[in-house]
Amino acid sequence: MSMATATAVKPVERENYLNKEYGVGSWLLTTDHKRIALLYLISITFFFFIGGFFALLIRLELLTPAGDLVQADTYNKLFTQHGQIMVFFFLIPSIPAVLGNFLVPMMVGAKDLAFPRINLLSWYLYIIGGAMMVHCMLTGGVDTGWTFYTPFSTAFSNTKVIEAGLAIFVAGFSSILTGLNFVVTIHRMRAPGMTWSRLPLFIWAHYATSIIQILGTPIIAITLVLVIAERALHLGIFDPKLGGDPLLFQHLFWFYSHPAVYIMILPSMGVVTEIIACFARKRIFGYSFVAFSSIAIAVFGFLVWAHHMFVAGISVYAALVFSILSYAVAVPSAVKVFNWTATLYKGSIRYDAPMLYAFGFIGLFTMGGLTGLFLAALGIDVHVHDTYFVIAHFHYIMVGGAVMGYLGGMHFWWPKISGKLYPEGWARLAALIVFIGFNLTFFPQFILGYLGMPRRYYQYPPEFQVLNVLSTAGATVLAVGYLLPMCYFLWSMRYGKPAPDNPWNAAGLEWQTQSPPTTFNFEKEPVVTWEAYNYEEIDARTGGEAPIVG
């Protein structure tokens, strides 16, 4: 043994939330918001790949016009379960439950969320709801479409409607409790000096999201209970044969389900704002406008539900009002895009993986938003209603927007979450593949919808095949893009280089604690004396040192 070997001292691993305790029990009974965030991360990743697998089966079925892979009943179940899993078990909880849980307490300078045990309870409710949905799938599935439209769901479908409804009902309480925890934490547990005008815009976005979760989710819960009650007891609430009104169901369903889009997209906007400020090394242009636009989106989101019902039989005057309101909600969304663009102007931009995802988000969200204006117009909506134009539009918002933001956030904060760096080259490649795959999948669907291909059909005329083949090819590319981050994140946990506490030279309290953080986040309570996004001060202090990448 050489002298050098004999005298080598193994570096002491710092205590952090990952190594503080070991064993399954320490994770399943944890009240640490960061560990609960990782429990959510594992859970929603599981559901993401189940929903994604169903999506691939749908695209394979549509590869040929004849519908020769599955029968019509199976196809109905495939798109129903794809929608229900992706909406209720991935898109809605993804950023709030994973990144929000991990970051909200640290960003406001708190040790934990206001109600740690309720936070753990919310994860268990999510798991119980998810287990019920998996059981529903394995024992026959449901075929109503993710919308549960009545009277089909209450009187005609012979599939697992009640079980699927109960699964979503239980998971909804998880969403309500998470929102409640965030609101109380942001109000009551901010560090000294962390005023409302110094809050990161990620927090403002989660605050607005939480308002929707608390006020809107009970509506869908009550609606599903009414569907179950009518199906089981024949009460005559929605079924016209029993004296009910199916339009009442649509009003109740969309009163939650349209704001739910903003539960998915607002947190993603918060993520993108943090990334753009860091990688452009500038303060966010128009901080107050961006902050209050989040609140405005949350408020307007509750006023536009009936634009889903233009062809359902509502009066022309009601449709006109909801059309105008739908245009109005575009204003605060446009404010955000304008302010991000103004922030980028003359910024010192770095094109690392999180920034590539942020650019992807802006492009795809803008595309989705602009095509939403077409659907807000009464005449055009009548033409493309229930066609693939609608499918393409909401996927550009809910997948192109929400998932790009989620992946951007995962790449941005992964060094803080895991304490490890990921391979930057692979991450940039994955961002590029996701962007190309997404557009190849969904852009042809705008054309299909404009040409008149209806949604939810498992057969179609041969003239639509070329565009469907393009879309299926894109879905395959997209699947590769989604698999890559999971592979290199797992790889980095074992082989990645240790991450510094602040690998991006970023602003924000979460970067002032170690990577990974300790159980209670900070050694001592931080005192905030600076404005949000003080990148000029940070660069002046550090000499504009380039961010460290993997």
Side-chain angles (χ1 to χ4, degrees):
M1 181 181 294
S2 69
M3 181 64 73
T5 304
T7 56
V9 178
K10 185 178 179 181
V12 178
E13 189 178 17
R14 293 185 294 182
E15 183 179 279
N16 58 63
Y17 81 100
L18 291 172
N19 64 16
K20 177 72 182 299
E21 294 177 286
Y22 292 98
V24 175
S26 71
W27 281 85
L28 295 181
L29 299 176
T30 185
T31 54
D32 185 338
H33 65 99
K34 299 179 290 298
R35 284 194 167 201
I36 294 172
L38 291 194
L39 293 175
Y40 269 115
L41 174 61
I42 296 167
S43 313
I44 71 160
T45 302
F46 171 74
F47 284 107
F48 175 75
F49 281 103
I50 289 182
F53 176 68
F54 286 153
L56 275 178
L57 291 179
I58 292 168
R59 289 311 323 164
L60 286 174
E61 165 59 33
L62 296 175
L63 196 58
T64 57
D68 41 15
L69 181 65
V70 296
Q71 296 301 309
D73 290 344
T74 306
Y75 185 78
N76 290 344
K77 292 177 182 176
L78 283 176
F79 72 70
T80 297
Q81 301 271 214
H82 164 71
Q84 289 174 345
I85 288 173
M86 282 304 200
V87 170
F88 295 109
F89 294 93
F90 175 71
L91 287 168
I92 287 177
S94 58
I95 296 182
V98 178
L99 295 175
N101 251 320
F102 194 91
L103 293 165
V104 165
M106 278 194 285
M107 281 186 163
V108 302
K111 292 180 179 179
D112 205 323
L113 286 170
F115 307 113
R117 288 184 176 81
I118 289 180
N119 194 24
L120 180 62
L121 173 64
S122 70
W123 178 72
Y124 274 105
L125 288 170
Y126 172 84
I127 290 297
I128 292 169
M132 291 170 67
M133 185 58 80
V134 170
H135 182 266
C136 170
M137 287 186 302
L138 295 177
T139 55
V142 61
D143 65 349
T144 59
W146 78 278
T147 51
F148 288 99
Y149 274 172
T150 58
F152 180 69
S153 61
T154 53
F156 297 102
S157 174
N158 58 0
T159 55
K160 301 274 185 176
V161 177
I162 292 180
E163 190 172 356
L166 284 174
I168 294 166
F169 177 82
V170 173
F173 282 96
S174 168
S175 184
I176 295 169
L177 294 178
T178 299
L180 184 68
N181 231 334
F182 286 172
V183 167
V184 176
T185 303
I186 294 167
H187 269 277
R188 305 292 299 173
M189 299 179 68
R190 302 193 309 274
M194 179 60 85
T195 61
W196 286 92
S197 62
R198 288 175 175 170
L199 279 176
L201 290 163
F202 179 89
I203 298 296
W204 274 101
H206 274 73
Y207 186 77
T209 304
S210 300
I211 292 172
I212 302 173
Q213 287 175 297
I214 294 169
L215 298 180
T217 310
I219 306 298
I220 189 71
I222 292 168
T223 307
L224 290 174
V225 167
L226 292 176
V227 167
I228 292 167
E230 172 147 315
R231 188 177 171 86
L233 306 173
H234 309 290
L235 295 181
I237 303 167
F238 304 121
D239 190 343
K241 284 200 302 188
L242 301 173
D245 183 358
L247 270 189
L248 173 62
F249 173 84
Q250 291 196 37
H251 280 294
L252 292 172
F253 180 84
W254 288 115
F255 186 76
Y256 164 79
S257 295
H258 189 81
V261 173
Y262 301 111
I263 297 178
M264 305 171 205
I265 204 69
L266 271 170
S268 202
M269 290 172 163
V271 168
V272 168
T273 306
E274 300 296 319
I275 292 172
I276 285 177
C278 177
F279 289 89
R281 313 304 297 171
K282 286 177 67 180
R283 290 180 191 273
I284 286 293
F285 180 83
Y287 171 96
S288 300
F289 285 94
V290 178
F292 286 106
S293 67
S294 294
I295 305 298
I297 289 172
V299 173
F300 276 113
F302 279 108
L303 304 177
V304 297
W305 76 90
H307 74 207
H308 295 269
M309 302 165 59
F310 286 160
V311 299
I314 62 174
S315 76
V316 174
Y317 300 107
L320 185 63
V321 170
F322 282 102
S323 174
I324 294 169
L325 287 170
S326 300
Y327 279 111
V329 79
V331 174
S333 302
V335 165
K336 286 185 182 291
V337 175
F338 172 78
N339 285 30
W340 291 328
T341 309
T343 305
L344 290 168
Y345 180 64
K346 291 189 176 179
S348 179
I349 298 172
R350 285 184 58 91
Y351 297 93
D352 294 294
M355 192 61 163
L356 296 184
Y357 280 107
F359 278 133
F361 170 92
I362 294 174
L364 300 181
F365 173 75
T366 303
M367 185 84 147
L370 290 174
T371 51
L373 296 178
F374 286 79
L375 295 173
L378 291 173
I380 299 176
D381 184 75
V382 170
H383 175 65
V384 297
H385 189 84
D386 265 346
T387 69
Y388 265 80
F389 189 94
V390 180
I391 300 274
H393 157 69
F394 74 70
H395 277 84
Y396 264 81
I397 295 287
M398 292 159 61
V399 182
V403 178
M404 291 295 267
Y406 174 66
L407 288 174
M410 285 301 301
H411 285 79
F412 187 48
W413 283 292
W414 182 254
K416 183 60 63 181
I417 294 171
S418 67
K420 295 295 181 69
L421 297 173
Y422 54 79
E424 177 64 21
W426 281 101
R428 291 179 187 179
L429 178 64
L432 191 63
I433 291 175
V434 167
F435 186 79
I436 293 171
F438 179 87
N439 281 293
L440 190 57
T441 305
F442 293 106
F443 190 81
Q445 295 181 12
F446 281 124
I447 306 171
L448 280 171
Y450 179 75
L451 293 176
M453 179 168 167
R455 62 193 290 193
R456 300 188 176 118
Y457 280 40
Y458 84 119
Q459 294 175 317
Y460 56 86
E463 57 263 34
F464 293 142
Q465 186 175 14
V466 172
L467 290 167
N468 272 297
V469 169
L470 278 176
S471 191
T472 302
T476 310
V477 175
L478 188 59
V480 173
Y482 284 150
L483 277 171
L484 273 177
M486 189 179 73
C487 295
Y488 58 70
F489 280 153
L490 288 173
W491 177 89
S492 77
M493 290 290 288
R494 183 169 179 83
Y495 302 106
K497 296 177 185 174
D501 295 342
N502 190 355
W504 310 113
N505 280 341
L509 286 177
E510 79 272 24
W511 299 107
Q512 295 190 10
T513 184
Q514 68 177 53
S515 298
T518 59
T519 299
F520 294 111
N521 298 337
F522 302 98
E523 296 296 329
K524 60 181 182 180
E525 185 180 40
V527 177
V528 180
T529 57
W530 56 89
E531 302 301 317
Y533 310 109
N534 56 334
Y535 281 102
E536 292 85 354
E537 297 170 26
I538 292 173
D539 287 347
R541 191 167 61 245
T542 62
E545 183 182 345
I548 300 168
V549 294

